[in-house]
Amino acid sequence: MSGNLILILGDQLSPELSSLRQGDRMADRVLMAEVMAEATYVAHHKKKIAFVFSAMRHFAQDLRDDGWRVDYVALDDPGNTGTLRGEVERALASGGIDRVLVTEPGEWRLLDEMSRWPGTDLIADDRFIADRHGFVRWAEERKTLRMEHFYRLMRRKTGLLMEGDQPAGGRWNFDADNRKPPAPDMEVPAPPRFAPDEVTQAVLDLVAKRFPENFGTLEPFGFAVTRADAEAALDHFIEHALPHFGAYQDAMVGGQPFLFHAVVSPYLNAGLLDPLEICRRVETAWQGGWVPLNSAEGFIRQIIGWREFVRAIYWWKMPGYERSNVLDASRPLPWFYWSGQTDMACVSACVNQTRDEAYAHHIQRLMVTGNFALLAGVDPHALHEWYLAVYADAYEWVELPNTVGMSQYADGGLLASKPYVASGAYIDRMSDYCGSCRFKVKAKSGPDACPFNLLYWDFIARHRTRLAGNPRMGQMVATWDRFSPDRQQQVRREAGAFLATLDQ
Ligand SMILES: Cc1cc2nc3c(=O)[nH]c(=O)nc-3n(C[C@H](O)[C@H](O)[C@H](O)COP(=O)(O)OP(=O)(O)OC[C@H]3O[C@@H](n4cnc5c(N)ncnc54)[C@H](O)[C@@H]3O)c2cc1C
C-alpha cells in the first residue's frame, strides 16, 4: 500500500495544519525530525532549542493519539542525517511513498529549498489572517504603506471589535491611553511556569549536552510545551494581566521581565495557539466587561495588525530584505549583547533578562537594545542574527521585519514611518532602570552623560539630510541645528569617544 509523507516542521505544531487536513490517517505517514541544520543556522538560545524540540515531541505524541502514524527522528538518533532533506530522502528510500506534503515553511530560506525538492507539494499555510499574495496587490496600489490602514482591513475582515461597519468605542486605535510609565505600587502577576515532565527533561539533558556553548540559561525551564498548557498560560494572562496590558504596555521595570504582557509569542509562532482564537477570547473578555477596551484593542492590534503586517512585508520583500541597510551601518555587534556587561543599566538589564528567559517584551527590544544599536550604527544584519538567536519566539518571518524594518530603519521607512530612536529621557520616563545606572540620565555631556543622550544627537547629525525630509523627525533636526557650534562639536566628540570604546 502506498501513501503520502507529511513533513511537519517545528513551528507547524497545529492539529488543523493544512498538510494534515489534506492527509489521510490510514494511508499517510507523518515525519518530524530534529536536525542539526535547523538547530544551528544561528546559535539559538538554549531555552529556544529546548522549547521547540520538547513541543515537537509532545505534538508527535498527540498525533499518534489521534490515529496518525508518526516517524519521529530525534537529534541523537543513529542515522540522523542532520538535514530535513536528508530525513525526507531516508523516508523515501524505505519505499511506498507517492508524494511529500509540506505546509509552506515560514522562512524564505526553506521555502526556496523545498520548492526544488522533487515530488513535493507545498500547501499554503492558512494559520494567518491576511493572504500574503493579496497583500502584495494591496500594498503595490498604495503610495505609502502604514500598518494602521492594513489593521483596519483586518478588523473588518475578522469582525473583531466591530459594531457594524464601525470600530467598537468609536475609535480604531486607543494607543494614546497605552503609554503609562510604571506605577511604584503596581502589583504584577507572574505568568505561570510549567514544571518539565519526563519528555522535557530528556530534551533539557540533550540541549545541555549538545549545545553547551550556546547563549542563555537553560534551567529553570518553565515554558508550556503542549497546547493544553499554552492555553492555560493564555487563560492566566486574560484573567490576571490583560486588564492592565494596555495602560502599561510600554513600561519597563527591573526584575519584572513580563509585567502585563501575554508571553504567548513562542506558542503562537510554533502553532500551539491560534491567532484568531486568541483574539476572540480577548474580545469575549472585553464584551463580558472584564477588560477595558484600550487593553483589548491594544492586544488585538498587535496580533491581527503588527504580526500579520510584518509577515506580509517579509514575504513581499524576500529575498533581499535581509540585506537592507539604507543607513550604511557597519559597526560589529558590541560584545555586551552577549555578556550583559556594560555600565548602561538598561541594556544590561535587558540582555541579562534575555539570557535568563529567552524573552524580552516589545519596548525592551525596540527602545533599549534596538534603539542602542540604531544610535550606535550597528550592522543591521548582525543585529538581526542576534534577535533571531536569542528569543524563544524568533522565526525569520516575524523577527527580520521587526529588526531590519521597525527597529533599525534599514529599509528606509517601508515598515516604520520614522526611526525609533530616543535619548535617555524616554527610557527614564518608561522604566526604573536609570536610578541604578552609573551614568546620569539628566547629563547631556561630560564623563557621566548617559550614552543614549550623546548618541541620539550624534545620530541626528550623522543622518541629518535624510531625517530633515521626514515629517516626524524634522523638529528634532531643527533643534539640533539650533545647538551652538561649540555644543554640536562637543556632543559629536564625546559620542565619537564613546563609540570608540565599543570597538575595543
Ligand atoms: C527588534 C525586534 C525583534 C522582534 N522579534 C520578534 C520575534 O522574533 N518574534 C516575535 O514573535 N515577535 C518579535 N518582536 C515583536 C514583539 O517584541 C514580540 O512579539 C513580543 O514581545 C512577544 O511577547 P508577548 O507574547 O508577551 O507579547 P505581547 O506584548 O503580550 O503582545 C501580544 C502578541 O502580539 C504579537 N506582537 C506584538 N508586537 C508584535 C510585533 N511587532 N510583531 C509581531 N507580532 C507582534 C505577538 O504575537 C505577541 O505574542 C520583535 C520586536 C522587535 C522590536
Side-chain angles (χ1 to χ4, degrees):
M1 198 175 105
S2 67
N4 293 323
L5 182 73
I6 304 175
L7 173 66
I8 297 188
L9 308 176
D11 59 352
Q12 298 184 339
L13 310 182
S14 314
E16 292 301 315
L17 194 69
S18 56
S19 56
L20 287 171
R21 294 206 314 272
Q22 285 203 10
D24 174 349
R25 281 179 184 68
M26 303 310 288
D28 298 342
R29 272 159 58 189
V30 169
L31 172 66
M32 297 179 69
E34 299 167 5
V35 292
M36 265 323 230
E38 295 307 311
T40 56
Y41 74 95
V42 289
H44 306 282
H45 193 297
K46 292 191 189 87
K47 274 197 167 86
K48 180 183 180 187
I49 305 177
F51 164 69
V52 175
F53 284 179
S54 179
M56 285 173 69
R57 291 182 185 195
H58 283 90
F59 185 71
Q61 189 54 46
D62 289 349
L63 289 179
R64 286 188 191 109
D65 294 345
D66 195 28
W68 290 95
R69 276 189 305 158
V70 182
D71 296 334
Y72 193 94
V73 183
L75 193 79
D76 272 352
D77 281 354
N80 186 326
T81 57
T83 65
L84 289 170
R85 175 84 191 251
E87 287 313 304
V88 167
E89 280 172 358
R90 242 173 19 122
L92 291 175
S94 65
I97 291 169
D98 297 330
R99 310 272 311 161
V100 178
L101 307 183
V102 197
T103 290
E104 283 180 351
E107 303 203 346
W108 185 87
R109 165 184 71 85
L110 276 179
L111 182 69
D112 182 51
E113 183 193 323
M114 288 181 183
S115 61
R116 282 178 268 115
W117 288 4
T120 302
D121 297 338
L122 290 162
I123 307 161
D125 188 350
D126 51 11
R127 296 175 299 166
F128 295 87
I129 295 150
D131 160 39
R132 65 184 177 89
H133 304 288
F135 176 86
V136 174
R137 290 190 292 276
W138 175 81
E140 286 181 347
E141 279 168 10
R142 309 185 71 84
K143 275 204 203 99
T144 51
L145 208 58
R146 287 297 152 249
M147 197 290 287
E148 187 64 29
H149 302 138
F150 168 82
Y151 167 57
R152 292 178 191 184
L153 282 183
M154 294 299 106
R155 287 274 292 276
R156 290 201 158 102
K157 181 171 181 179
T158 57
L160 283 162
L161 302 180
M162 295 298 292
E163 287 163 356
D165 196 37
Q166 292 305 309
R171 269 155 57 196
W172 291 101
N173 180 319
F174 289 81
D175 227 11
D177 304 341
N178 288 359
R179 298 194 183 115
K180 278 198 185 162
D185 54 350
M186 67 189 188
E187 274 186 33
V188 178
R193 298 203 179 240
F194 301 89
D197 62 7
E198 268 177 32
V199 174
T200 302
Q201 196 52 56
V203 169
L204 293 173
D205 295 344
L206 173 79
V207 172
K209 190 171 99 201
R210 296 295 298 274
F211 304 94
E213 302 303 326
N214 285 36
F215 176 74
T217 315
L218 182 58
E219 296 189 68
F221 179 91
F223 283 123
V225 289
T226 63
R227 171 166 301 258
D229 283 351
E231 279 174 0
L234 176 68
D235 287 344
H236 186 278
F237 163 69
I238 292 178
E239 190 177 339
H240 299 285
L242 180 60
H244 305 288
F245 169 84
Y248 296 113
Q249 208 176 332
D250 291 0
M252 298 176 279
V253 177
Q256 294 288 358
F258 312 107
L259 284 178
F260 301 101
H261 291 270
V263 201
V264 292
S265 46
Y267 314 143
L268 252 175
N269 297 348
L272 297 181
L273 294 176
D274 176 76
L276 203 50
E277 264 174 50
I278 295 187
C279 292
R280 297 240 182 272
R281 296 276 313 280
V282 167
E283 184 186 44
T284 304
W286 166 69
Q287 284 163 341
W290 307 315
V291 298
L293 184 54
N294 66 311
S295 279
E297 187 282 315
F299 184 81
I300 287 173
R301 175 156 30 91
Q302 306 309 318
I303 294 192
I304 68 168
W306 279 113
R307 184 169 185 269
E308 294 285 330
F309 188 63
V310 298
R311 173 175 182 264
I313 291 203
Y314 175 79
W315 284 111
W316 182 28
K317 292 296 166 186
M318 284 299 282
Y321 195 63
E322 76 286 8
R323 291 281 160 199
S324 309
N325 190 2
V326 299
L327 300 181
D328 286 330
S330 59
R331 185 176 306 284
L333 187 72
W335 180 245
F336 54 69
Y337 275 72
W338 300 108
S339 70
Q341 286 172 7
T342 161
D343 287 343
M344 291 176 284
C346 55
V347 177
S348 175
C350 292
V351 172
N352 289 338
Q353 171 192 319
T354 299
R355 178 198 62 213
D356 292 343
E357 306 290 352
Y359 175 85
H361 72 66
H362 188 65
I363 294 302
Q364 295 175 309
R365 298 187 207 195
L366 185 66
M367 299 311 294
V368 179
T369 44
N371 182 20
F372 183 84
L374 177 55
L375 293 176
V378 171
D379 172 8
H381 195 262
L383 190 71
H384 146 61
E385 292 191 325
W386 183 79
Y387 280 109
L388 188 57
V390 302
Y391 291 113
D393 58 21
Y395 301 87
E396 196 180 76
W397 66 266
V398 53
E399 174 279 326
L400 181 73
N402 267 300
T403 302
V404 155
M406 186 186 301
S407 163
Q408 298 302 293
Y409 203 71
D411 64 4
L414 176 78
L415 197 147
S417 55
K418 71 172 185 100
Y420 279 101
V421 282
S423 68
Y426 173 87
I427 295 171
D428 191 30
R429 186 164 68 251
M430 297 313 298
S431 80
D432 66 354
Y433 294 140
C434 301
S436 60
C437 190
R438 101 115 184 92
F439 295 108
K440 304 268 176 293
V441 69
K442 302 265 185 285
K444 308 277 186 263
S445 57
D448 291 337
C450 166
F452 282 85
N453 293 343
L454 295 168
L455 295 182
Y456 179 79
W457 291 116
D458 190 58
F459 177 86
I460 304 277
R462 286 202 318 273
H463 301 291
R464 192 196 167 287
T465 312
R466 178 183 287 276
L467 299 179
N470 182 314
R472 297 186 66 192
M473 295 302 289
Q475 203 188 340
M476 298 323 282
V477 173
T479 305
W480 167 254
D481 288 347
R482 283 197 299 275
F483 282 13
S484 69
D486 278 356
R487 185 160 172 214
Q488 286 189 349
Q489 273 173 22
Q490 184 183 12
V491 165
R492 302 235 37 201
R493 194 174 55 245
E494 291 185 9
F498 175 81
L499 289 173
T501 65
L502 300 179
D503 301 334
Q504 284 159 11

